[in-house]
Amino acid sequence: MNGLPAGTRVWLAAGATDMRKGFDSLAAQAQTVLGQDPFSGHVFCFRGRRGDLVKLLWWDGDGLCLPSASSVADSSGRGRKRAWWC
């Protein structure tokens, strides 16, 4: 993952978000609920209801990026690992 430019803000959406949402729906949520421009270059974080899935949304100048992270149990079922994918 590339570093973010200086002055980039990270916005956290309070509450749970429907993780089936994609680029357009999350951008609309950032605009209506948070009152921020999703194309500003700032990072918007959305959390799933169970807390095991996080989606980040940001405009990198060429398009919207939407990486996701999921918490999964390890083989013993006790520990949790964080896995990112784009």
Side-chain angles (χ1 to χ4, degrees):
M1 188 164 135
N2 296 334
L4 298 172
T8 300
R9 291 185 176 192
V10 177
W11 295 89
L12 302 174
T17 301
D18 183 357
M19 289 291 103
R20 297 174 293 179
K21 291 183 177 184
F23 293 102
D24 296 333
S25 299
L26 291 175
Q29 186 172 347
Q31 193 167 14
T32 57
V33 176
L34 297 173
Q36 298 297 318
D37 180 16
F39 305 105
S40 63
H42 298 306
V43 179
F44 299 92
C45 297
F46 301 94
R47 175 187 168 272
R49 182 168 305 283
R50 293 182 301 180
D52 64 343
L53 185 62
V54 174
K55 285 187 176 181
L56 304 176
L57 177 74
W58 83 91
W59 176 261
D60 67 355
D62 291 329
L64 285 170
C65 299
L66 188 66
S68 301
S70 176
S71 240
V72 294
D74 65 6
S75 59
S76 68
R78 287 178 268 150
R80 291 187 112 17
K81 300 179 196 172
R82 179 78 50 187
W84 282 96
W85 67 89
C86 293

